[in-house]
Amino acid sequence: MTSLRTGKVTFLLLATLFVLSGCDDAIDIDAHRRGTADKYMIAAANPLAADAGRSILANGGSAVDAAIATEMVLTLVEPQSSGIGGGAFLVHHDAADGVVETYDGREAAPASAHPGMFLQDDGTPMPWPKAALGGRAVGIPGVMRMLAMAHADHGVLPWADLFQPAIRLAKEGFAVSPRLAGLLAADTEMPEIPSTREYFYPDGKPLKAGDTLRNPALARVLKTVAEHGAAAFYAGDISAGIAETVATTTANPAKITAEDFASYMAKKRDPVCVTYRVFRVCGMGPPSSGGILIGQILGVLNHFDLPSMTPFSAEAVHLIVEASRLAFADRGMYVADSDFIPVPVAGLLDPRYLASRAKLISPGSRMQQALPGRAGRTAWHFRAADGAEKGLSTTHFSIRDRYGNVVSITASIERAFGSKHMSQGFLLNNELTDFSFRPTSNGHPVANAAAPGKRPRSTMSPTIVFDKAGKPVLAIGSPGGSRIAGYTLKVILAVLDWNMHVADAISAPNIVSRGGPIDIEAGTAAESLKPALEAMGHDVRLREMTSGLHGIHFTPEGLTGGADPRREGIVLGE
Ligand code: GLU
């Protein structure tokens, strides 16, 4: 524990010294963990990426335009978290007509995938780290098609312009961040894999914080897509290069065909919206479980008076945890890719159903077992296990443009560095490990089993909250595997119910239950809740929990933003 704490302090000190390079004014991260603005704002996980988004917003770009520029720079500067080799979900609010749209750019399994793809010869599941490495878990990347679809709907600036900040930085080089350097130094697999060794471990040693890194291969890919559109990513050399990397690795070689790339589609999904007190909370539906989890938890909490309780008191945490346990029980039973499995979304979010779920909770004592309920009319019976969660990857950013449009987007390559294999300067995801490794359980089919073309269940929870009049109140989301919903919920409740500043809500201790024990963020004041929660019957563990919450609160005085001090993000705006 002591050494852990020491590590954290060292990291924070380095982060403070890390300044933005590659633009005229250096930016001190700590000074930009929170900010205010009137016209436009971006909160994102890396200063260079946030600055790329800011420059697009300053030039009259839309929130979607800025999201594209930001995600391209994140591919370069925060390669461990997300990129064009991965997937994303985007929630959009259009200020002109008030419409909320959600875009699904989740990776899809190739035609060669099958329900038992993560089972070993003896029928037992592969150890998770073994399955995550190499070709087998690589899904068809969805980021590029999703961003192109959102740009066709909501872009203002030309597509090609949005790639220029990333192309310039990739050519000229950027300063390796302390967080990237730390993760590279800790990794034992990538120094053995030719594509990642060459890029991240020049001369056999991991890149250090502050080293200048150039990526001409990525610059070429981005130039091609800038000039020829997203389709160029899914055909020709770029997709062929991905297929070759996946096929020729010695770690879990796999087959992705040209047809797999050609047939990949981004999809517009129905937003998942619930009423919480006087607010309307909208998020991502299947294949993410994020919107349903948050919606169910809030729907249950409607039956308790959280605003009257002390913020993060044992009394309030108990109710949040019990509501979370019930929601996770339903998630395992019902939620997967709705193009393959009938997911009873309306039934799961029906206020009458959630009222019946709320009755299962007793203030002050833990319910023995949180079981799935009978939601909707579905005749299916599923039982799915949670996937492993690494929590060091994935990225969330929130944007508001000068026209009032809002984007809340979470992007991922799954675990840190994804499959740990690179193609043409970008990392490939290992998102298919988000499928349940066991296709059946006690003879019942598992909802989230793998299948050709299917998208693995996610917990990513990009969210926008609205007031009664339909005006945006909060844009928020986070990385963190299946803890994402809990992290995001913390900020929603702290801002809406406890009137906290969004930056304070973000830095408040993380307290999450995913159905099992309660995880409390180690080294924080929340550790003191342990005895009271244990007295109610809860099993409490202290854990490191690296959320990456980046949010914007729309207040009557203007825009207020917050960036998670657990990562390297900042807030910029005007
Ligand atoms: N793959 C995870 C999901 O889609 C995100 C991984 C992470 O946040 O670490 O839910």
Side-chain angles (χ1 to χ4, degrees):
M1 202 58 235
T2 322
S3 65
L4 244 177
R5 287 225 178 93
T6 318
K8 221 173 193 172
V9 170
T10 316
F11 171 77
L12 285 176
L13 279 176
L14 276 170
T16 312
L17 295 174
F18 173 60
V19 292
L20 179 69
S21 63
C23 77
D24 298 340
D25 302 308
I27 291 183
D28 173 349
I29 291 185
D30 279 349
H32 287 81
R33 294 286 192 208
R34 60 178 70 206
T36 53
D38 299 317
K39 276 196 228 152
Y40 54 81
M41 179 174 271
I42 176 165
N46 176 283
L48 294 164
D51 190 57
R54 183 207 54 77
S55 69
I56 298 293
L57 294 169
N59 289 335
S62 67
V64 164
D65 292 337
I68 296 168
T70 304
E71 181 53 30
M72 293 310 127
V73 175
L74 285 169
T75 303
L76 178 72
V77 303
E78 200 200 27
Q80 69 272 21
S81 292
S82 77
I84 60 174
F89 294 109
L90 187 156
V91 183
H92 185 269
H93 163 72
D94 189 317
D97 55 16
V99 172
V100 180
E101 291 169 296
T102 58
Y103 295 86
D104 167 4
R106 183 68 162 171
E107 298 90 333
S112 59
H114 56 92
M117 65 188 286
F118 293 115
L119 294 178
Q120 304 177 106
D121 291 345
D122 65 0
T124 59
M126 290 174 83
W128 195 88
K130 202 175 152 201
L133 186 72
R136 188 172 317 202
V138 178
I140 313 306
V143 161
M144 216 49 115
R145 278 229 199 270
M146 185 198 81
L147 292 175
M149 185 185 236
H151 186 257
D153 290 350
H154 302 290
V156 171
L157 300 181
W159 170 258
D161 292 6
L162 311 173
F163 289 74
Q164 300 317 312
I167 292 173
R168 181 176 58 78
L169 276 173
K171 279 188 187 157
E172 291 174 5
F174 67 97
V176 169
S177 82
R179 185 170 169 77
L180 172 56
L183 290 167
L184 288 174
D187 202 280
T188 54
E189 286 172 319
M190 288 201 297
E192 308 297 326
I193 298 160
S195 58
T196 41
R197 178 174 58 221
E198 201 185 312
Y199 182 61
F200 290 124
Y201 301 84
D203 310 320
K205 293 201 196 70
L207 292 162
K208 294 189 301 299
D211 283 356
T212 301
L213 185 57
R214 291 182 184 80
N215 192 335
L218 180 63
R220 276 193 296 277
V221 167
L222 295 180
K223 188 166 176 286
T224 303
V225 177
E227 285 168 6
H228 302 285
F233 185 90
Y234 294 87
D237 290 351
I238 302 175
S239 57
I242 297 173
E244 192 191 329
T245 304
V246 164
T248 56
T249 174
T250 52
N252 297 317
K255 187 171 160 198
I256 303 184
T257 64
E259 174 53 26
D260 289 323
F261 283 102
S263 60
Y264 181 87
M265 305 281 276
K267 297 186 183 188
K268 256 194 243 186
R269 303 281 185 183
D270 290 336
V272 166
C273 298
V274 297
T275 300
Y276 179 61
R277 301 199 293 111
V278 295
F279 302 99
R280 187 160 162 262
V281 180
C282 292
M284 200 64 226
S288 185
S289 60
I292 295 176
L293 277 172
I294 290 177
Q296 283 200 305
I297 297 168
L298 291 174
V300 166
L301 291 177
N302 263 327
H303 298 272
F304 301 91
D305 187 11
L306 251 66
S308 74
M309 296 177 197
T310 307
F312 305 112
S313 57
E315 179 192 21
V317 167
H318 166 73
L319 295 174
I320 298 166
V321 161
E322 294 291 84
S324 303
R325 290 177 62 210
L326 290 167
F328 268 91
D330 278 350
R331 172 191 189 257
M333 180 74 101
Y334 295 111
V335 185
D337 183 347
S338 51
D339 288 345
F340 285 73
I341 297 292
V343 182
V345 180
L348 287 163
L349 297 171
D350 185 336
R352 281 163 306 180
Y353 173 65
L354 295 174
S356 73
R357 299 292 271 169
K359 289 211 180 82
L360 301 171
I361 298 179
S362 6
S365 84
R366 177 184 188 273
M367 80 187 102
Q368 288 275 317
Q369 263 189 312
L371 297 172
R374 288 197 160 270
R377 287 162 194 262
T378 176
W380 287 75
H381 283 280
F382 297 109
R383 191 174 303 269
D386 254 356
E389 311 294 343
K390 295 289 156 278
L392 294 171
S393 164
T394 309
T395 202
H396 178 87
F397 50 108
S398 301
I399 303 175
R400 212 246 3 203
D401 64 27
R402 63 177 69 224
Y403 316 105
N405 306 308
V406 183
V407 159
S408 182
I409 169 173
T410 312
S412 180
I413 52 169
E414 218 301 298
R415 70 163 164 181
F417 303 105
S419 65
K420 303 196 174 179
H421 283 57
M422 268 185 137
S423 174
Q424 304 152 91
F426 59 91
L427 281 154
L428 303 178
N429 70 84
N430 67 298
E431 215 74 59
L432 302 190
T433 55
D434 276 354
F435 282 123
S436 300
F437 283 19
R438 289 182 197 273
T440 58
S441 175
N442 303 327
H444 294 294
V446 166
N448 187 36
K454 194 171 172 182
R455 301 176 184 207
R457 181 180 62 205
S458 170
T459 314
M460 289 193 263
S461 308
T463 304
I464 306 179
V465 180
F466 300 90
D467 67 12
K468 264 196 206 143
K471 291 222 159 48
V473 172
L474 179 69
I476 189 71
S478 180
S482 58
R483 293 195 182 95
I484 289 173
Y487 295 156
T488 305
L489 187 78
K490 171 190 78 170
V491 179
I492 294 174
L493 294 173
V495 170
L496 302 187
D497 285 352
W498 297 322
N499 300 315
M500 281 171 73
H501 187 291
V502 64
D504 295 333
I506 285 170
S507 51
N510 286 316
I511 307 168
V512 173
S513 171
R514 297 173 289 167
I518 303 179
D519 295 333
I520 289 186
E521 188 171 6
T524 66
E527 285 190 356
S528 65
L529 294 173
K530 195 169 185 275
L533 291 168
E534 283 172 346
M536 295 182 208
H538 292 287
D539 176 11
V540 180
R541 307 180 305 185
L542 304 180
R543 285 272 182 277
E544 239 191 300
M545 289 197 273
T546 319
S547 52
L549 291 150
H550 297 104
I552 301 175
H553 184 196
F554 307 83
T555 74
E557 292 76 44
L559 309 172
T560 304
D564 202 321
R566 300 164 186 86
R567 301 203 183 204
E568 295 170 333
I570 60 167
V571 180
L572 295 175
E574 191 192 316

